[in-house]
Amino acid sequence: SVYGTSILQYVIDKKMQLAMQLILTTEMQIKHIGNQVGYDNPSKFSATFKKKYGRLPSDFSTDSAVN
């Protein structure tokens, strides 16, 4: 554990931080951002993102199309 966080949780947090950055600074579709950060399943990506930030990725995106 690194400062009270497991290595797995640390990696997930870094992936979600990158995803947030991509959502806010690019016009990539949510499913492509999920793929970029290692999620093949858009639903799993959205669920993990919501668990971290309390909102869905589409809530932050200017292009709210999930497909």
Side-chain angles (χ1 to χ4, degrees), residues 9 11 13 17-19 26-27 32 34 38-39 45 58 60 62 64:
Q9 190 58 52
V11 170
D13 286 346
Q17 289 171 8
L18 175 57
T26 72
E27 294 184 16
H32 293 137
Y39 286 82
F45 167 66
S58 57
F60 293 92
T62 55
S64 61

Side-chain angles (χ1 to χ4, degrees), residues 4 6 12 14 17-20 26 29 32 35-37 51 55 57 61-62:
S6 71
I12 291 169
K14 286 296 178 188
Q17 289 171 8
L18 175 57
M20 178 65 90
T26 72
Q29 293 179 342
H32 293 137
N35 281 94
Q36 279 294 118
V37 298
K51 184 176 178 184
R55 294 170 63 193
S61 176
T62 55

Side-chain angles (χ1 to χ4, degrees), residues 19-31:
M20 178 65 90
Q21 180 180 356
L22 291 171
I23 288 167
L24 296 176
T25 62
T26 72
E27 294 184 16
M28 290 175 66
Q29 293 179 342
I30 301 298
K31 70 177 184 178

Side-chain angles (χ1 to χ4, degrees), residues 2 10 15 27 31 39 49-50 55-57 59 64 66:
V2 179
Y10 176 81
K15 287 180 178 185
E27 294 184 16
K31 70 177 184 178
Y39 286 82
F49 188 95
K50 185 173 182 180
R55 294 170 63 193
L56 293 171
D59 292 342
S64 61
V66 176

